[in-house]
Amino acid sequence: MMSKYFVLALALFWSCKSSSNVTPTEKEEDDREIVVVATVSNLIAEETEKKNELKLSWNNPPAAVSMMISYTEEGTDNEHTVTPHVQAGGASKSSYVLRLPRYATYKVTVVAMDNYGRKSEPLSVTATPAENDAPISYEIIENRLPIADPYVLYHNGNYYAYGTRVNGFEVYISEDLKHWRRSEHLALSPENSWGDRWFWAPEVYYVESKNRFYMFYSVDEHIAVASSNRPEGPFVQQEKKPVVSEKAIDTNLFIDEDGTPYLYYVRFTGGNVIWVAEMNDDLTSIKPETLTECIRAEEPWERKQGTIAEGPSVLKRGDTYYLMYSANHFESKDYAVGYATATSPKGPWKKYEGNPILRRDMPAATGLVGTGHGAPFVTPDGGFKYIYHAHASENSVGPRTSYINDMEFSADGVIRVFGEAIHPVVVK
């Protein structure tokens, strides 16, 4: 009886072994069969548009579930294995972008693995990535930055530009100051603001103590403020009202080192005159008793057309406060930029004797007319640039267009706007 069952079991064992569906196989010396995983085929390594990067592609063999990728720099014996392994996912072809530590020639190897961890023979290829990033290709949709009264905010690797153009405010985003993408959505929509016309001169600030962005702007010849948690908006007025009840335009926020916020803006007191007031901590209202006059148009270069001082921008260097401003009517070809200094954010302000520092007859203007109502901004390397608008041409004021020049402080504290202007464009 025992021998009968033993023979039956032995027969079943050999039957199952002979009907195994695992393929392919090969014989060893002791006649045991082992599984062989096929090698990947058509392995290609190509450089991409990014430096030190290779795009790998290959055909997956049957039964392979993952690929082990490794690379070795030419002239070394240090092999580096990529983790995690690349999954085949049942596809007949796979690809992988291999990011390498530096520019060199590499031997890249791919090994196929089945569900049991069994490996194929390696297949290798030698390739060299690009040494530098390829130039970015842009589709230009407008050969200018079509905003007036421009302002630029730099935040987390991007530049954000705001200005006067539509009902409400657009935002343009750039990484290099030359190519700007217009956001699909308005940064500020009229329905989120007091007022419904004459949206002018927006400026956006990130206030670290509040972890929030604030947009100060003019609407219907009043000044207003809205806030957002993102620089591209949407900016919303929590309470739809102007900052002050009287007519006013052209706001600029300055927060001093002691944390005191000041709002500079234009009041219509015998022309366009720049004033300053301390703000309350909520940044939506001022302390009226602190109102102080700063700059009025009195010098010959300031009064070519109108009695107008506007577009203030305040910054501090050392113990000196600088107030940059524009003078003349914006329709004048002699619209120009000057500045004044003080030892207090409230003045008294002393105008620079070499004013104006930007006008149509100066090298930085490069033939542009009506240059003004701009704003300085800091670049990632700690330098300064100045964005401003100019007339459409010698014979036409609009549509006004924005330009960007270098700006610096000399050793003796003099502001200079110089260099060849960047002519920004809008891209898709």
Side-chain angles (χ1 to χ4, degrees), residues 5 12 18 21 43 92 112 144 147 277 301 327 331 356 423:
Y5 286 121
L12 286 170
S18 64
N21 59 3
L43 174 60
S92 61
R144 62 193 185 94
I147 52 176
W301 76 269
E331 292 181 340
H423 291 229

Side-chain angles (χ1 to χ4, degrees), residues 45-286:
E46 300 174 301
E47 66 178 43
T48 72
E49 294 184 346
K50 296 289 186 180
K51 66 180 181 180
N52 303 334
E53 193 175 86
L54 291 172
K55 182 177 181 181
L56 311 179
S57 60
W58 62 87
N59 295 335
N60 295 320
V65 296
S66 63
M67 312 296 155
M68 183 174 69
I69 299 173
S70 62
Y71 61 90
T72 305
E73 183 180 331
E74 192 175 67
T76 73
D77 296 322
N78 298 323
E79 185 177 31
H80 303 273
T81 301
V82 175
T83 56
H85 296 158
V86 178
Q87 301 300 307
S92 61
K93 296 183 179 181
S94 291
S95 62
Y96 180 79
V97 176
L98 178 62
R99 293 176 176 85
L100 299 158
R102 65 195 186 104
Y103 175 71
T105 298
Y106 294 86
K107 182 179 80 170
V108 180
T109 302
V110 178
V111 174
M113 299 173 64
D114 70 7
N115 208 33
Y116 299 97
R118 294 172 291 211
K119 300 177 182 178
S120 73
E121 290 295 317
L123 181 63
S124 299
V125 66
T126 299
T128 304
E131 188 172 6
N132 299 294
D133 290 343
I136 300 174
S137 177
Y138 294 98
E139 181 182 345
I140 297 175
I141 59 175
E142 195 162 358
N143 206 28
R144 62 193 185 94
L145 184 59
I147 52 176
D149 314 324
Y151 183 87
V152 167
L153 168 73
Y154 179 78
H155 184 76
N156 285 351
N158 285 318
Y159 296 96
Y160 298 85
Y162 313 84
T164 301
R165 190 171 93 102
V166 298
N167 221 28
F169 296 113
E170 300 167 310
V171 57
Y172 296 79
I173 305 168
S174 175
E175 295 180 357
D176 62 4
L177 295 177
K178 173 67 176 179
H179 306 92
W180 296 82
R181 289 185 171 88
R182 183 187 289 120
S183 173
E184 295 179 358
H185 307 285
L186 291 179
L188 177 83
S189 297
E191 58 264 29
N192 291 327
S193 170
W194 179 90
D196 58 7
R197 62 176 182 170
W198 301 342
F199 284 81
W200 299 337
E203 299 193 355
V204 174
Y205 310 85
Y206 174 66
V207 181
E208 189 172 359
S209 63
K210 299 181 182 297
N211 191 28
R212 199 156 179 82
F213 297 89
Y214 288 81
M215 175 185 281
F216 287 83
Y217 58 99
S218 306
V219 54
D220 199 6
E221 291 191 332
H222 286 72
I223 56 175
V225 58
S227 65
S228 173
N229 60 3
R230 302 188 306 165
E232 61 268 40
F235 286 85
V236 176
Q237 274 197 306
Q238 299 304 321
E239 185 178 358
K240 293 183 180 180
K241 65 175 186 178
V243 174
V244 293
S245 59
E246 69 173 340
K247 285 190 173 185
I249 59 172
D250 292 2
T251 48
N252 178 253
L253 175 69
F254 173 74
I255 299 177
D256 210 347
E257 293 165 349
D258 64 1
T260 304
Y262 296 89
L263 188 65
Y264 296 80
Y265 62 97
V266 172
R267 302 175 72 200
F268 304 129
T269 53
N272 288 21
V273 183
I274 298 171
W275 290 67
V276 63
E278 290 184 29
M279 295 205 80
N280 292 305
D281 185 63
D282 60 7
L283 299 183
T284 63
S285 58
I286 66 167

